Amino acid sequence: MSFITRGFSGRRGDRDPRLPPGQTLVSDWPVLSAGPTPDIAPEEWEFVVTTENGRHRWGWDELRALGIEDVTTDIHCVTHWSKLEMPWRGVPLDKIFEHIETSHDYVMAHSYGGYTTNVPLDDLLDGRAWIAFEADGEPLDPEHGGPARLLVPHLYFWKSAKWIRGLVTMPSDDPGFWEQNGYHLRGDPWQEERYW
Ligand SMILES: Nc1nc2c(c(=O)[nH]1)N[C@H]1C(S)=C(S)[C@@H](COP(=O)(O)O)O[C@H]1N2
Ligand SMILES: [Mo]
C-alpha cells in the first residue's frame, strides 16, 4: 500500500499542471504526417460540409469571412509530446455549423491526401475547435497542414486533421485512419485515451 502512494505523490508537485499524464514538453514543433505533404494553393482550397440534408461549400475568402479568432492553446500528441500556449488563428467551427442542419452526432474529417479522423460533433462546438490557418503568428507551413487544418486542441493532436478539405456528418462514430489502426475513438489526453 504505502510504496504505491509514495511513488505517485513524491513527484506530483514538480509537474506542470497543464501537462496531461504521460506527456513531455517540447520546445520545437515535431512534424507527424502519415503520407506526403499535399501542395494546395489557397485559391484552390475549398471546405465542404456534407450532411444527410446536402452540401455546403466555402472557398478560402468565404470561410475567413465567417469570422476569424485568435486563440492560445496547448496541444498534446499521442506520441507523448506537448506544446503549451501556442498562438493560433482560425475560424471557429461554431461559425460554420450556424449554417448546417443535421441530426447526426458525429463527423468524419477528410483531408486533402486522404487522411480521415472521426470526432463527436459536440467536441467541435462551444469554442473548442477551429479551421486554423496561422500558428505562431505565421501562415501554417505546408508540413503543419497549410493552408488550413482542423484544430481540436482538447483531444490528442491526431484529431487535428492537416490539409482539411471537409467534414461529413455521420449517425454513428465510425473510425477514421488512425482509429482503424488502434487509436482510441475519442482521444482525451486527460483520460489518456491513447489506444483501444
Ligand atoms: N492529413 C493529416 N493530418 C494529420 C496527420 C496526418 O498524417 N495527415 N497526422 C496527425 C497526427 S498523428 C499528429 S500528432 C498531428 C501532427 O501535426 P504536426 O505535424 O503539425 O505536428 O497531425 C495530425 N493530423
Ligand atoms: Mo500524433
Side-chain angles (χ1 to χ4, degrees), residues 32 77-79 157-158:
L32 282 109
C77 176
V78 71
T79 62
F157 208 36
W158 87 77

PDB file of all heavy atoms in Angstrom, residues 32 77-79 157-158, ligand 2:
ATOM      1  N   LEU A  32       4.424  15.281 -37.847  1.00  0.00           N
ATOM      2  CA  LEU A  32       3.977  13.892 -37.941  1.00  0.00           C
ATOM      3  C   LEU A  32       2.948  13.782 -39.054  1.00  0.00           C
ATOM      4  O   LEU A  32       1.818  14.258 -38.913  1.00  0.00           O
ATOM      5  CB  LEU A  32       3.370  13.413 -36.614  1.00  0.00           C
ATOM      6  CG  LEU A  32       4.421  13.069 -35.559  1.00  0.00           C
ATOM      7  CD1 LEU A  32       4.431  14.105 -34.457  1.00  0.00           C
ATOM      8  CD2 LEU A  32       4.179  11.689 -35.011  1.00  0.00           C
ATOM      9  N   CYS A  77       0.277  15.511 -28.388  1.00  0.00           N
ATOM     10  CA  CYS A  77       0.340  14.402 -29.347  1.00  0.00           C
ATOM     11  C   CYS A  77       0.345  13.082 -28.590  1.00  0.00           C
ATOM     12  O   CYS A  77       0.959  12.971 -27.525  1.00  0.00           O
ATOM     13  CB  CYS A  77       1.594  14.513 -30.219  1.00  0.00           C
ATOM     14  SG  CYS A  77       1.807  13.118 -31.351  1.00  0.00           S
ATOM     15  N   VAL A  78      -0.277  12.065 -29.178  1.00  0.00           N
ATOM     16  CA  VAL A  78      -0.350  10.753 -28.536  1.00  0.00           C
ATOM     17  C   VAL A  78       1.036  10.123 -28.394  1.00  0.00           C
ATOM     18  O   VAL A  78       1.247   9.262 -27.541  1.00  0.00           O
ATOM     19  CB  VAL A  78      -1.313   9.825 -29.315  1.00  0.00           C
ATOM     20  CG1 VAL A  78      -0.706   9.416 -30.651  1.00  0.00           C
ATOM     21  CG2 VAL A  78      -1.711   8.620 -28.499  1.00  0.00           C
ATOM     22  N   THR A  79       2.023  10.581 -29.187  1.00  0.00           N
ATOM     23  CA  THR A  79       3.396  10.084 -29.063  1.00  0.00           C
ATOM     24  C   THR A  79       4.144  10.774 -27.916  1.00  0.00           C
ATOM     25  O   THR A  79       5.370  10.756 -27.886  1.00  0.00           O
ATOM     26  CB  THR A  79       4.179  10.248 -30.379  1.00  0.00           C
ATOM     27  OG1 THR A  79       4.269  11.651 -30.692  1.00  0.00           O
ATOM     28  CG2 THR A  79       3.499   9.524 -31.525  1.00  0.00           C
ATOM     29  N   PHE A 157      -3.622  15.235 -30.716  1.00  0.00           N
ATOM     30  CA  PHE A 157      -3.413  16.050 -31.910  1.00  0.00           C
ATOM     31  C   PHE A 157      -3.683  15.290 -33.219  1.00  0.00           C
ATOM     32  O   PHE A 157      -3.769  15.917 -34.272  1.00  0.00           O
ATOM     33  CB  PHE A 157      -1.996  16.611 -31.878  1.00  0.00           C
ATOM     34  CG  PHE A 157      -1.812  17.919 -32.588  1.00  0.00           C
ATOM     35  CD1 PHE A 157      -2.802  18.894 -32.582  1.00  0.00           C
ATOM     36  CD2 PHE A 157      -0.626  18.185 -33.260  1.00  0.00           C
ATOM     37  CE1 PHE A 157      -2.616  20.108 -33.233  1.00  0.00           C
ATOM     38  CE2 PHE A 157      -0.428  19.403 -33.907  1.00  0.00           C
ATOM     39  CZ  PHE A 157      -1.431  20.363 -33.903  1.00  0.00           C
ATOM     40  N   TRP A 158      -3.804  13.949 -33.169  1.00  0.00           N
ATOM     41  CA  TRP A 158      -4.113  13.256 -34.424  1.00  0.00           C
ATOM     42  C   TRP A 158      -5.518  13.625 -34.904  1.00  0.00           C
ATOM     43  O   TRP A 158      -5.836  13.465 -36.074  1.00  0.00           O
ATOM     44  CB  TRP A 158      -3.932  11.732 -34.302  1.00  0.00           C
ATOM     45  CG  TRP A 158      -5.107  10.948 -33.797  1.00  0.00           C
ATOM     46  CD1 TRP A 158      -6.242  10.608 -34.514  1.00  0.00           C
ATOM     47  CD2 TRP A 158      -5.279  10.369 -32.499  1.00  0.00           C
ATOM     48  NE1 TRP A 158      -7.090   9.860 -33.720  1.00  0.00           N
ATOM     49  CE2 TRP A 158      -6.522   9.701 -32.487  1.00  0.00           C
ATOM     50  CE3 TRP A 158      -4.493  10.355 -31.344  1.00  0.00           C
ATOM     51  CZ2 TRP A 158      -6.997   9.028 -31.372  1.00  0.00           C
ATOM     52  CZ3 TRP A 158      -4.981   9.680 -30.240  1.00  0.00           C
ATOM     53  CH2 TRP A 158      -6.209   9.030 -30.242  1.00  0.00           C
TER      54      TRP A 158
HETATM   55 MO    MO B   2       0.175  12.095 -33.381  1.00  0.00          MO
END
